[in-house]
């Protein structure tokens, strides 16, 4: 089945079919006939031929740190939604939280080539900044804010600050924090600094001996929380940089303090649906990950389709979720 067959069945020229397929002008009456003919014949245009005609492969490269993360799944769902609506396809690359692989995929996607790239970034090294400054296709950074490239990101600092204020108002005892490596400017530095600032607003502090560093995993949350509980028998609350680590902290609390309603003494970030279903909800921060994927993709496709390269930065909001109850873990 060829374009000529579709044109013959629709009673139009091959040029009219081509304009219909590539978004050019065609009358509504002809467009309906072409649509009906394509549906009847099952015609699928060659992607290679379309790329030669239009200069576009209608492919978007998406680089993510971890495909089994709930937050990343929400982000990619938002990305996929917009791509489907606008006739693009996704090439997904998973880095498993290896920053150097992000650079590899940035280079690979440009050579493939794709029409644009969405990087769901964690660590922004000097090499990342250099690569993004020289990227040869439109790109959007999602999850971090970096001058020189369009970005969609969350207000991690203020979210953590508000969370800490709420925790401090409900818990008079010691409050600990389990973070991640600070090279991650959003989940690492901004959340930890925001939480410390919120405690300071309440006249409290977050000393070094009440801080631990995990690695985004349940096991690391468990190990860090177990260590904190052993060192601080009167610990009142454990805040974690992610809900995933908070799940590990909950297990450590259940082991160390039988009978404690652990979910009321732990917080996280991400509003994980499974954790909420199992525990009834911990104190956490809900970020609009689905919306971030939608906004980043719309931003990228607008740049691709209009040819305008204005740099844009969009910060999304947040919502505190779940219970925070007073009392020490005794």
């Amino acid at each position: 089945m060829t374009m000529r067959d579709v044109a013959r069945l629709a009673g139009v020229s091959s040029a009219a079919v081509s304009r219909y397929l590539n978004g050019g002008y065609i009358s509504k009456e002809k467009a309906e006939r072409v649509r009906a003919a394509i549906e009847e014949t099952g015609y699928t245009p060659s992607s290679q031929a379309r790329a030669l005609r239009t200069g576009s492969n209608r492919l978007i490269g998406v680089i993510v740190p971890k495909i089994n993360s709930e937050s990343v799944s929400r982000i990619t769902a938002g990305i996929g939604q917009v791509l489907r609506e606008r006739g693009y396809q996704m090439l997904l690359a998973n880095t498993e939280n290896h920053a150097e692989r992000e650079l590899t995929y940035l280079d690979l996607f440009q050579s493939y080539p794709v029409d644009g790239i969405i990087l769901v970034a964690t660590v922004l090294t000097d090499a990342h900044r250099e690569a993004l400054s020289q990227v040869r296709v439109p790109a959007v950074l999602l999850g971090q804010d970096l001058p020189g490239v369009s970005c969609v990101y969350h207000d991690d600092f203020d979210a953590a600050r508000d969370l800490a204020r709420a925790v401090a108002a409900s818990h008079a005892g010691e409050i600990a924090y389990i973070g991640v490596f600070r090279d991650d400017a959003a989940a690492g530095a901004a959340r930890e600094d925001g939480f410390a600032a919120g405690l300071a607003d309440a006249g409290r502090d977050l000393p070094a001996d009440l801080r631990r560093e995990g690695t985004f995993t349940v096991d690391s949350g468990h190990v860090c929380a177990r260590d904190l509980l052993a060192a601080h028998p009167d610990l009142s609350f454990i805040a974690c940089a992610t809900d995933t680590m908070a799940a590990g902290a909950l297990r450590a609390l259940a082991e160390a303090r039988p009978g404690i309603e652990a979910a009321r003494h732990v917080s996280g970030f991400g509003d994980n649906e499974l954790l909420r279903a199992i525990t009834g909800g911990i104190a956490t921060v809900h970020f609009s990950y689905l919306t971030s994927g939608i906004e980043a993709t719309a931003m990228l496709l607008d740049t691709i389709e209009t040819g305008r390269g204005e740099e844009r930065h969009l910060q999304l909001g947040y919502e505190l979720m779940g219970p925070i109850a007073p009392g020490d873990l005794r």
Side-chain angles (χ1 to χ4, degrees), residues 69-79 243 270-274 276 285-294:
S69 160
E70 183 176 318
S71 59
V72 171
S73 71
R74 294 184 204 168
I75 289 169
T76 54
I79 293 171
D243 275 6
D271 190 21
N272 183 280
E273 291 183 358
L274 179 59
R276 182 172 1 108
V285 175
H286 177 84
F287 289 126
S288 300
Y289 290 119
L290 179 71
T291 301
S292 71
I294 291 171

Side-chain angles (χ1 to χ4, degrees), residues 8-299:
R8 187 179 305 109
L9 183 61
V12 300
S13 66
S14 295
V17 177
S18 178
R19 287 196 300 273
Y20 174 86
L21 292 171
N22 294 298
Y25 173 76
I26 183 174
S27 70
K28 290 184 179 180
E29 184 268 334
K30 287 184 178 179
E32 177 56 30
R33 283 155 49 194
V34 172
R35 185 203 62 75
I38 289 174
E39 185 174 314
E40 180 178 339
T41 60
Y43 171 72
T44 302
S46 164
S47 58
Q48 293 89 346
R50 180 173 60 192
L52 288 173
R53 292 194 305 272
T54 66
S56 169
N57 289 294
R58 303 190 78 79
L59 291 173
I60 299 299
V62 179
I63 304 170
V64 301
K66 200 173 183 180
I67 57 174
N68 61 346
S69 160
E70 183 176 318
S71 59
V72 171
S73 71
R74 294 184 204 168
I75 289 169
T76 54
I79 293 171
Q81 176 182 320
V82 177
L83 293 181
R84 287 190 300 273
E85 290 171 353
R86 296 176 63 166
Y88 289 77
Q89 293 184 338
M90 181 194 310
L91 291 179
L92 184 64
N94 174 31
T95 69
E96 291 291 346
N97 280 316
H98 291 284
E100 67 277 7
R101 293 181 188 171
E102 295 177 350
L103 300 173
T104 299
Y105 284 123
L106 274 172
D107 184 63
L108 177 64
F109 279 152
Q110 292 175 78
S111 303
Y112 186 75
V114 296
D115 297 306
I117 297 172
I118 296 173
L119 171 59
V120 183
T122 52
V123 177
L124 293 178
T125 65
D126 289 340
H128 282 76
R129 293 180 176 88
E130 178 70 15
L132 288 166
S133 71
Q134 297 184 12
V135 68
R136 300 187 299 275
V137 297
V140 171
L141 189 62
L142 201 161
Q144 304 279 359
D145 188 27
L146 178 69
V149 61
S150 291
C151 301
V152 175
Y153 60 102
H154 303 283
D155 190 357
D156 291 275
F157 182 91
D158 285 330
R161 188 172 192 168
D162 283 349
L163 178 62
R165 288 168 174 166
V167 171
S170 298
H171 292 264
E174 291 181 317
I175 298 171
Y177 185 84
I178 302 173
V180 295
F181 49 98
R182 291 180 60 84
D183 286 344
D184 185 328
R191 292 181 189 177
E192 183 173 352
D193 292 348
F195 197 84
L199 291 183
D201 292 341
R204 313 279 288 275
D205 61 1
L206 185 60
D209 66 327
L210 285 173
R211 303 188 192 207
R212 297 292 187 274
E213 185 176 294
T215 57
F216 290 102
T217 66
V218 173
D219 285 344
S220 72
H222 178 256
V223 170
C224 290
R226 189 173 58 190
D227 183 53
L228 283 165
L229 289 164
H232 301 274
D234 294 332
L235 191 62
S236 175
F237 197 92
I238 302 175
C240 301
T242 73
D243 275 6
T244 301
M245 290 193 296
L250 285 169
R251 178 156 60 93
L253 283 169
E255 294 167 351
R257 308 284 194 270
I260 287 292
E261 192 174 355
R264 291 185 172 271
H265 297 274
V266 173
S267 68
F269 286 77
D271 190 21
N272 183 280
E273 291 183 358
L274 179 59
L275 186 60
R276 182 172 1 108
I278 293 173
T279 65
I282 65 169
T284 187
V285 175
H286 177 84
F287 289 126
S288 300
Y289 290 119
L290 179 71
T291 301
S292 71
I294 291 171
E295 293 288 349
T297 311
M299 185 182 292

